[in-house]
Amino acid sequence: MGAMPTLDLAMPTALFLVALVGLLLSKRVENRLTETVEQKEFKTRDIFMLVAFILIVVSVIAYTAIVNPGGVFENALLVFFMGSYTTLLFTFSYIFSNTTKTRVQLLSAGFGVAAIIAGVISLLDPLGDAYTIYRIAAFFILATFCFSVVIFEQKKSTPEKSRWYMAAQPPALFLLLFIFFNVIYSGTTQVWNPVLLDVFGFTFAILIIIYLSSLFTWKTVCLFAGLLTIMDIILVFTGPMVTAANTFTDLGLPVLVYLPNFPILLKETGGILFRGLGLGDYFFAGILAVQTYNKFGKKTAVMAVVAMAVSFGIWEAFLPEITKFFDIGGFPATVCIITGWIPIVAYKLLATRRKPVPSSSATPPPAEVPKEPRLPMQQ
């Protein structure tokens, strides 16, 4: 007799919220992005190249993790992703730094307070290690910079369109938190994983949806969805995708989100059961939602987001039985997502085809244009 399904509400809810927030924000800020960043669209050839690139990267990461774990490649991978995340944060912050003086002051004060909190909690015994003094100094220097921006904005008389000093604060805080609570941290209390890891994971997932969704069209997103799902199935069942995910987890990079199963479940080996989902899967659901919005409207897009979350939850409930049956370490989440999206899109396409087209006889004839203009009466 098979095991009972393991209900989880946390990860499907997170998938729903990230896809929905990414959808709504992408439609709200697309004009600002278009004005600031040169926007292009993926062609069919670009989609094939993108999927091939993902396939190569995942395979290389998995191979090097097996052959030379903890080697030079993993350090290079860490630097590459950190540079990419920092650039993404700075780019978005810079694009939207053209705002009012009050908002800049409030945001800067908020980042300053966050830096002070990070520095103060470093004084606690469970967080103390050999780098405590450097950690405190770094966060207080960042706080000083943030509050200096508040004073500078107050005294400045001429407004600026974009402010680099505003855009530098989010990536600086991210880098300090990652370095001092993950890379060179040896305290007894875990701070980065999973709390900060999840916070930045959700943040980057939404930013990637906003930034890249406009590059797709309805045609290319359908092609991308099919190719990515096939590739994901192959890589998961053959092993490289699971190995690559474990490599990212060991490095502490925010490319996966880990949430405790809710209702809370305990593992057989002890401890609370956590479930993980990659940022690529959040992005996948997000771009499907955005392009569904562009094709069929907001109502259908929201329905698609709900369907994807429900489908993911159903698959996830039977995940232990599925992985045990196939003897695999994970399951392709793209399958869980796309099986919720396809029925909504199929229904909408059928409903659109069945909608009667108005006959030409029902079209009223155009109004007759007078030969002479009718001038107003003059007295």
Side-chain angles (χ1 to χ4, degrees):
M1 184 176 179
M4 292 293 293
T6 54
L7 175 66
D8 176 38
L9 299 178
M11 196 63 77
T13 302
L15 180 67
F16 168 79
L17 292 176
V18 169
L20 184 63
V21 171
L23 165 66
L24 298 178
L25 288 182
S26 66
K27 305 310 295 182
R28 183 172 182 179
V29 304
E30 62 181 353
N31 292 333
R32 177 72 68 89
L33 284 174
T34 303
E35 293 173 359
T36 310
V37 182
E38 183 181 357
Q39 293 292 307
K40 298 180 179 180
E41 290 183 349
F42 285 136
K43 306 299 182 183
T44 302
R45 180 188 62 183
D46 300 326
I47 297 299
F48 280 101
M49 292 178 62
L50 177 61
V51 174
F53 175 76
I54 297 173
L55 175 63
I56 294 172
V57 170
V58 172
S59 300
V60 170
I61 293 173
Y63 176 76
T64 54
I66 295 173
V67 175
N68 186 25
V72 176
F73 179 79
E74 290 189 5
N75 294 327
L77 186 68
L78 180 65
V79 173
F80 171 77
F81 273 89
M82 290 306 299
S84 301
Y85 290 144
T86 304
T87 303
L88 181 64
L89 271 177
F90 181 83
T91 301
F92 266 87
S93 302
Y94 188 77
I95 290 174
F96 297 101
S97 64
N98 181 15
T99 184
T100 63
K101 176 189 296 187
T102 302
R103 289 182 179 178
V104 172
Q105 290 177 309
L106 289 175
L107 289 172
S108 298
F111 285 115
V113 170
I116 290 177
I117 293 174
V120 170
I121 66 172
S122 299
L123 296 171
L124 301 176
D125 289 337
L127 302 177
D129 58 14
Y131 303 97
T132 297
I133 186 65
Y134 304 104
R135 183 182 302 117
I136 295 173
F139 281 114
F140 274 84
I141 290 173
L142 176 59
T144 302
F145 174 77
C146 294
F147 288 117
S148 298
V149 171
V150 177
I151 299 174
F152 175 73
E153 283 288 322
Q154 185 63 35
K155 293 184 176 181
K156 188 179 63 175
S157 57
T158 57
E160 296 183 16
K161 291 184 177 181
S162 300
R163 303 168 173 87
W164 68 266
Y165 47 83
M166 177 67 234
Q169 296 174 39
L173 181 61
F174 165 67
L175 280 175
L176 291 182
L177 289 171
F178 182 82
I179 292 172
F180 283 110
F181 287 112
N182 180 56
V183 179
I184 54 174
Y185 175 71
S186 58
T188 58
T189 301
Q190 288 294 327
V191 178
W192 179 258
N193 189 2
V195 179
L196 294 177
L197 178 70
D198 286 350
V199 170
F200 285 108
F202 285 131
T203 301
F204 288 126
I206 293 172
L207 293 183
I208 294 170
I209 292 172
I210 296 173
Y211 194 71
L212 295 181
S213 60
S214 60
L215 299 179
F216 290 85
T217 62
W218 179 250
K219 177 183 176 181
T220 55
V221 83
C222 291
L223 177 62
F224 180 70
L227 292 177
L228 186 67
T229 302
I230 295 172
M231 184 206 70
D232 197 20
I233 293 173
I234 295 173
L235 290 180
V236 169
F237 277 81
T238 55
M241 186 66 77
V242 177
T243 304
N246 293 332
T247 301
F248 285 124
T249 301
D250 295 337
L251 293 175
L253 289 169
V255 296
L256 289 97
V257 171
Y258 287 95
L259 295 176
N261 191 99
F262 185 82
I264 300 297
L265 293 176
L266 299 179
K267 296 185 293 185
E268 295 180 358
T269 56
I272 298 176
L273 175 64
F274 275 75
R275 297 182 185 270
L277 184 63
L279 264 61
D281 299 309
Y282 285 102
F283 166 69
F284 184 62
I287 62 167
L288 292 181
V290 172
Q291 292 304 320
T292 303
Y293 183 106
N294 294 339
K295 180 71 173 179
F296 300 112
K298 183 177 181 180
K299 182 179 178 181
T300 304
V302 174
M303 291 172 57
V305 173
V306 173
M308 287 187 286
V310 172
S311 174
F312 182 88
I314 295 173
W315 278 98
E316 190 185 35
F318 295 93
L319 192 59
E321 289 292 301
I322 296 174
T323 54
K324 182 179 179 180
F325 178 81
F326 289 105
D327 192 22
I328 52 178
F331 191 76
T334 49
V335 174
C336 309
I337 294 170
I338 202 171
T339 48
W341 178 71
I342 287 178
I344 301 298
V345 172
Y347 169 77
K348 192 64 181 179
L349 288 173
L350 289 174
T352 304
R353 288 185 177 183
R354 292 176 179 176
K355 189 175 181 180
V357 180
S359 60
S360 56
S361 60
T363 304
E368 183 180 355
V369 180
K371 296 181 180 180
E372 295 293 337
R374 297 182 179 180
L375 301 177
M377 295 179 62
Q378 298 181 357
Q379 294 183 353

